[in-house]
Amino acid sequence: QALDTWLAALPAAELRNLASPGETLAVVTAAALDPAAQALCADMLRRRLGDGLSVRFATDPSLIAGAELRGSHARLRNNWRADLDHIAEELSRDDHPLAVA
């Protein structure tokens, strides 16, 4: 349900760029989804992106929590790893590092 809510908030153009009909969309999570959760997720994605969508499930423990949707033309990241990467990037841009006396 969290993934459905996340996708509902995205602009339609972003969703269209994720996967075209007939393409495979990878749903990557930190821990494996059980078959029932996979079926619900695939149904929701087909409802949002079109019936011709093929869905593949994979795991990547480095995501820590959350999910990534990996299409042939785009990737949507909603996971702790993406958040940590963003924080590290912002910290590296600090123009005024702290001086330690």
Side-chain angles (χ1 to χ4, degrees):
Q1 183 175 349
L3 182 59
D4 192 24
T5 302
W6 177 51
L7 291 176
L10 292 175
E14 278 191 58
L15 288 177
R16 282 192 304 273
N17 287 335
L18 191 57
S20 300
E23 292 183 341
T24 299
L25 180 67
V27 177
V28 184
T29 54
L33 299 178
D34 63 50
Q38 287 184 9
L40 286 172
C41 184
D43 288 344
M44 179 275 298
L45 289 168
R46 288 186 185 105
R47 182 173 36 82
R48 291 214 172 269
L49 301 171
D51 288 332
L53 182 69
S54 176
V55 180
R56 177 179 62 84
F57 292 90
T59 58
D60 180 352
S62 74
L63 298 182
I64 304 170
E68 282 190 9
L69 301 179
R70 299 175 183 170
S72 59
H73 304 291
R75 178 182 288 193
L76 295 177
R77 301 173 74 194
N78 186 16
N79 57 70
W80 282 19
R81 173 82 276 141
D83 293 343
L84 292 172
D85 290 347
H86 179 74
I87 291 167
E89 182 179 321
E90 290 300 315
L91 289 173
S92 71
R93 292 182 188 182
D94 188 1
D95 293 336
H96 305 289
L98 293 174
V100 179

